[in-house]
Amino acid sequence: MPWMKWLPWRFIVRYIARAHGFLDPLPVLASLRRFAEPSEVAEPLELLRAGVVFHARGLINSRVIQHNLDWIWPYWIEEQFNPYSNAFVPRAFSLTHVNLTYRNWTAVGHPDCFHMPVVDPRGLLTPHYDGWSVDAAIVTDDGENLIPSRQTEVAQHLDTIDGLAVVTRCTAQGMQLLNQASVRVSDGEPESVSVIEARSDRDGWLMILLRPYNPEGVSFIHEAGLSRDRRRWVVDDKFDVRFSEPAERHHLSEYRAGDVYTHYNELEDTIHGICSVGLVTAAALYRVRAGVPRRMEVVVPLALGDIGAEQGSSIGNENFQNLSWSQELQGRCQLSVPDPLYQTLYDAALRTLVLLSPEDVFPGPYTYKRFWFRDAAYMVNALLCTGFVERAERALNCFPGRQALDGYFHSQQGEWDANGEVLWIMERFCRLTGRRPTDGWHTAIKRGARWICRKRRANPKKSALYGLLPAGFSAEHLGLNDYYYWDNFWGIAGLRSASRLCGQTGYPELEKEFEEEADAYQSVVDESLAQAERRLGRPAMPAAPSRRLDPGAIGCVVAGYPLQLYDSNDPRLMDTADYLIDNCFVGGGFFQDMVHSGINAYLTLHVAQLLLRAGDGRYFGLMQSVAEMASPTGQWPEAIHPRTGGGCMGDGQHGWAAAEWAIMIRECFVREKHNGLILASGIARRWLETDELIHFGPAPTPYGAVTVTITTVEQDSATVRVAWRGEWFDAAPEIDVRLPGYAPVIAEPQQNQVEIKLNKPGND
């Protein structure tokens, strides 16, 4: 309302604060802003909103958990509040208690379904977005129990044989609990399905538990009841939990009576419970006889649940076809290597990419179930590189709808990298498919490129920063607002992409305009980097013109991967990689001290990509480290705790990390050079020590799809055959075979295979 502008807000805020004995917040805020470069956006409102919600949950956790540690809690709480665990975090003056040690979960779902139930490392299932959970346990008549969240060792894996399921197996003291969670579509609606099997060498009970929490903490249940046929819970008069058999015994509890687990020995059933605090717990019990397995199915319809920050239909996009997982993956880029870990991680990564792209692309199924152009660019690139062309195109078609009238592609206000990312991935799509941009894209491309041109001149002409993008929040893990090279590298790449796209669509004047602008822009950035080199005394690139070298330099890796703005052996890129490896790596992975305070799988792979492109054998050690950091279900959280190995930041199943693994594998088999393709440059020597066929493809490239196969011809892999089959758009490109440790070969135009001999030790 216009009249509100005239209110003396600063005076009112200052008066109220002082009247109640608080510090004047205005000078405090002003002091905070001085640590960052002046910017039109101090911090994206979207991130502030998400942070408030996150810590509101943490404030509730602080009021509930530490005073009720006799309850059964999720695994992260059992560990983080345990003083004998490496995950222990002292609470003291912490206002909020949040999951900082085991942010690990794995989503299950169906292709093109927006509902993505998550399963934690001990099998706790959260069927609805950010809702309550369902768990299982065993108690014996002689008082022993099997509670998954309190078990030190649990076997968990991702089952991809017949769909997508998370299987959790717990054993202790003669008891075994198997829990398999998945999603199926029944009568056109999605439902979460848990198949639970209990075994015990003594008589006891299988307990199906309704829990008012999830992997982030407390999630309220105010009312729950058992239906008359004893086959269904009704939760908060809205949600159903259905049992394959009637409950033989049943108990509920409210907050002040304690956890329902403490009531399971009571003789009388309780059917209905209400809790004003919102902490109803319930248990349905089923008799387990010694030596006889008891199998139950628990079904939760998902259609009524929230689907996250980004809304959509009950299933997904309008063209939902209810394809099975096997149908969705058929004909995509497949990997076959004699390395079970790498094979499993690649297969899991493909499924993660499909799961997180029901229409828009999300970087996670839970914490990050919202849209960012940054993550989307990398994830769409991975979809393209692994053959999901239609899925990638569908996501890209949503981008113009997010463009403001001034040409800004907005997902987070104040992040200036988005326009370059959109233009780059649009051109990447056209290159890998051999298509031209659609009419619907052209206007968005032109407006988006001109936004970059205007925005990069926002600094005063006499300023040393003239020609760079303004200070912004950029990628949040780089630090406070600054004039990030990351943003500017994306801006240059975006303009070059826009130039090529305009040339393809018959606009030579725009092609020339944007190419000249990109050249001028590149000169400004190169001069700024030269000044930084003189100041720092080495060519490594800092995060921003006035920054010292610090972990934020990881943002400059983008100039080499994926943008290829500089040659592969550019001293600035290689010295940046050396600096990061020497100073910012922990446990074999890049440790981001700022914000994330954890090891980042996808940023580690960015450095590995630089090394691979430069022919530096250190790339494979980084790949191996990332592989070993994956969860048992083949996932990576956004950042990894260096002690527990669990997630400490962001989503527990990070889509960007899955994308980077898929692309890294692709680049090991086939990567692009300016006039052709390089094959097999990242193949591990140990993979060649068996007789198994190594296979990758069909992989889309700018020249058409290619399938690569590698076989050992002679004993001890002294001679290896590299063969390829191309579905080229035009004439076959130049093929350069660079198997590490073997003599490099440039194939003749009509060749489709070469035999190469070992000439030096390979990399392991």
Side-chain angles (χ1 to χ4, degrees):
M1 289 176 278
W3 59 268
M4 295 183 70
K5 297 179 181 178
W6 300 100
L7 284 175
W9 285 112
R10 297 174 64 87
F11 172 79
I12 294 171
V13 169
R14 179 176 284 116
Y15 176 81
I16 293 174
R18 289 176 173 173
H20 290 82
F22 290 98
L23 288 173
D24 184 344
L26 298 179
V28 173
L29 291 174
S31 296
L32 289 175
R33 292 193 186 102
R34 293 189 192 108
F35 287 99
E37 295 290 347
S39 175
E40 61 190 78
V41 178
E43 188 169 348
L45 178 62
E46 297 87 349
L47 292 183
L48 289 173
R49 186 186 302 118
V52 168
V53 172
F54 181 80
H55 282 290
R57 163 75 56 72
L59 189 60
I60 294 168
N61 290 346
S62 71
R63 302 288 293 182
V64 176
I65 297 169
Q66 62 184 331
H67 307 297
N68 297 281
L69 291 175
D70 59 331
W71 283 40
I72 297 173
W73 290 107
Y75 178 62
W76 75 268
I77 294 175
E78 297 285 354
E79 290 294 305
Q80 193 167 305
F81 285 68
N82 177 4
Y84 297 100
S85 171
N86 281 336
F88 176 69
V89 175
R91 298 177 289 280
F93 296 108
S94 298
L95 295 178
T96 69
H97 297 168
V98 296
N99 185 352
L100 297 174
T101 52
Y102 282 103
R103 302 186 63 80
N104 299 85
W105 45 81
T106 305
V108 291
H110 191 280
D112 293 339
C113 177
F114 277 94
H115 297 278
M116 302 172 192
V118 297
V119 182
D120 90 339
R122 293 299 183 265
L124 179 76
L125 171 71
T126 305
H128 297 295
Y129 175 78
D130 201 26
W132 40 263
S133 301
V134 177
D135 205 357
I138 300 174
V139 293
T140 62
D141 291 351
D142 59 4
E144 298 294 340
N145 62 58
L146 174 55
I147 299 172
S149 65
R150 294 179 178 173
Q151 297 302 306
T152 303
E153 298 293 334
V154 168
Q156 190 175 65
H157 71 275
L158 191 69
D159 187 345
T160 60
I161 295 174
D162 187 24
L164 184 69
V166 174
V167 181
T168 310
R169 187 187 302 272
C170 309
T171 58
Q173 300 174 315
M175 295 170 281
Q176 183 181 95
L177 188 64
L178 182 69
N179 194 338
Q180 177 172 302
S182 62
V183 168
R184 69 187 178 201
V185 176
S186 179
D187 296 327
E189 294 294 347
E191 54 188 25
S192 166
V193 182
S194 294
V195 178
I196 301 168
E197 184 176 281
R199 296 173 182 264
S200 176
D201 58 4
R202 292 152 287 174
D203 288 351
W205 296 91
L206 166 63
M207 304 176 69
I208 309 299
L209 298 161
L210 180 66
R211 315 305 293 163
Y213 51 63
N214 58 40
E216 293 281 24
V218 172
S219 183
F220 295 124
I221 300 175
H222 291 280
E223 182 177 3
L226 184 68
S227 63
R228 290 185 178 181
D229 63 3
R230 302 177 68 87
R231 301 177 71 107
R232 182 168 61 100
W233 277 324
V234 179
V235 183
D236 285 333
D237 266 341
K238 181 179 180 182
F239 305 107
D240 278 359
V241 179
R242 301 170 185 171
F243 313 125
S244 56
E245 299 178 31
E248 297 173 27
R249 288 174 49 193
H250 190 268
H251 302 284
L252 290 107
S253 184
E254 51 87 30
Y255 172 65
R256 287 179 173 79
D259 192 356
V260 70
Y261 176 75
T262 64
H263 300 281
Y264 79 87
N265 268 328
E266 295 177 1
L267 296 178
E268 293 187 7
D269 269 11
T270 47
I271 304 300
H272 184 261
I274 297 177
C275 179
S276 60
V277 175
L279 290 174
V280 169
T281 55
L285 277 67
Y286 298 87
R287 193 62 170 159
V288 177
R289 295 299 180 186
V292 180
R294 184 67 187 264
R295 190 174 187 272
M296 287 290 300
E297 186 174 275
V298 181
V299 176
V300 181
L302 299 175
L304 291 177
D306 293 335
I307 61 170
E310 297 285 342
Q311 297 301 311
S313 64
S314 176
I315 294 291
N317 65 85
E318 296 177 356
N319 300 317
F320 176 71
Q321 297 178 7
N322 196 16
L323 295 178
S324 68
W325 277 101
S326 60
Q327 290 172 316
E328 179 64 37
L329 295 165
Q330 187 175 2
R332 310 305 183 185
C333 190
Q334 299 298 319
L335 171 72
S336 178
V337 291
D339 188 324
L341 178 58
Y342 281 56
Q343 184 72 56
T344 296
L345 295 179
Y346 181 80
D347 292 342
L350 291 193
R351 287 157 177 80
T352 295
L353 290 169
V354 170
L355 189 69
L356 298 180
S357 57
E359 190 167 37
D360 264 333
V361 175
F362 306 134
Y366 184 16
T367 307
Y368 290 161
K369 199 177 181 185
R370 57 176 64 88
F371 181 83
W372 279 271
F373 280 115
R374 180 181 310 118
D375 301 74
Y378 282 96
M379 291 177 67
V380 170
N381 187 35
L383 287 169
L384 283 170
C385 288
T386 52
F388 295 95
V389 173
E390 300 83 3
R391 187 170 289 274
E393 182 177 21
R394 186 176 67 192
L396 289 174
N397 283 335
C398 297
F399 285 12
R402 295 179 180 272
Q403 189 179 36
L405 291 176
D406 65 353
Y408 177 48
F409 284 98
H410 173 256
S411 56
Q412 310 291 316
Q413 188 64 36
E415 296 182 336
W416 311 136
D417 51 347
N419 278 49
E421 289 154 357
V422 172
L423 297 172
W424 175 81
I425 193 59
M426 283 183 165
E427 196 248 341
R428 180 87 173 139
F429 175 87
C430 293
R431 289 185 68 209
L432 266 62
T433 61
R435 304 182 198 171
R436 294 182 177 183
T438 64
D439 292 340
W441 287 10
H442 178 70
T443 300
I445 291 167
K446 180 176 68 173
R447 289 165 56 194
R450 285 190 167 152
W451 180 90
I452 295 174
C453 298
R454 293 193 305 273
K455 199 71 176 177
R456 80 176 190 88
R457 295 189 178 90
N459 296 314
K461 283 191 175 183
K462 294 183 179 180
S463 167
L465 300 167
Y466 180 69
L468 299 179
L469 287 169
F473 201 60
S474 191
E476 297 85 4
H477 56 270
L478 299 183
L480 301 172
N481 284 348
D482 214 330
Y483 301 91
Y484 287 110
Y485 288 125
W486 161 280
D487 293 336
N488 291 285
F489 287 139
W490 278 112
I492 294 166
L495 288 174
R496 296 203 186 281
S497 293
S499 173
R500 289 189 286 267
L501 289 169
C502 289
Q504 291 177 19
T505 49
Y507 292 90
E509 68 284 354
L510 290 176
E511 178 184 17
K512 181 180 179 182
E513 174 188 340
F514 296 144
E515 187 62 27
E516 290 177 348
E517 184 78 15
D519 289 341
Y521 196 175
Q522 183 80 65
S523 296
V524 169
V525 171
D526 286 344
E527 175 55 32
S528 179
L529 289 171
Q531 293 178 22
E533 181 177 350
R534 290 191 290 271
R535 176 173 59 85
L536 297 171
R538 61 185 295 181
M541 298 181 284
S546 62
R547 284 269 285 271
R548 300 182 299 276
L549 287 174
D550 58 34
I554 191 71
C556 296
V557 171
V558 72
Y561 167 79
L563 301 182
Q564 298 189 25
L565 296 177
Y566 301 125
D567 292 338
S568 59
N569 58 355
D570 186 286
R572 293 167 296 187
L573 288 173
M574 297 313 297
D575 195 40
T576 302
D578 288 339
Y579 167 79
L580 293 170
I581 292 171
D582 292 342
N583 297 278
C584 306
F585 270 55
V586 172
F590 171 73
F591 184 86
Q592 178 52 287
D593 267 320
M594 296 178 292
V595 183
H596 289 185
S597 61
I599 302 169
N600 291 78
Y602 61 97
L603 296 176
T604 302
L605 292 175
H606 285 194
V607 178
Q609 289 277 13
L610 276 192
L611 299 177
L612 174 64
R613 187 170 168 237
D616 187 322
R618 289 179 293 173
Y619 79 91
F620 196 78
L622 302 190
M623 280 185 69
Q624 185 65 26
S625 293
V626 170
E628 293 170 358
M629 291 175 194
S631 74
T633 57
Q635 313 298 332
W636 296 272
E638 182 178 30
I640 298 168
H641 193 295
R643 295 283 183 234
T644 70
C648 60
M649 165 74 184
D651 214 302
Q653 180 178 3
H654 201 50
W656 189 351
E660 293 299 349
W661 184 259
I663 296 174
M664 190 77 215
I665 293 293
R666 185 256 196 187
E667 299 285 289
C668 287
F669 279 86
V670 53
R671 58 189 178 89
E672 300 148 28
K673 59 178 183 175
H674 70 279
N675 62 342
L677 299 174
I678 299 172
L679 303 185
S681 66
I683 303 302
R685 175 71 185 280
R686 69 178 189 231
W687 296 351
L688 305 172
E689 294 173 353
T690 72
D691 294 331
E692 296 183 42
L693 179 71
I694 300 173
H695 169 95
F696 186 77
T701 77
Y703 309 98
V706 63
T707 299
V708 181
T709 58
I710 304 171
T711 52
T712 299
V713 177
E714 294 183 2
Q715 192 176 9
D716 298 327
S717 61
T719 302
V720 170
R721 179 183 298 116
V722 178
W724 57 93
R725 184 179 68 255
E727 301 171 22
W728 310 123
F729 298 141
D730 201 347
E734 181 177 282
I735 300 293
D736 188 351
V737 180
R738 297 187 194 172
L739 187 64
Y742 291 77
V745 174
I746 296 179
E748 296 296 330
Q750 302 306 316
Q751 277 185 289
N752 60 10
Q753 66 177 39
V754 296
E755 290 189 2
I756 52 179
K757 293 187 177 294
L758 184 66
N759 67 354
K760 59 182 178 180
N763 60 306
D764 280 315

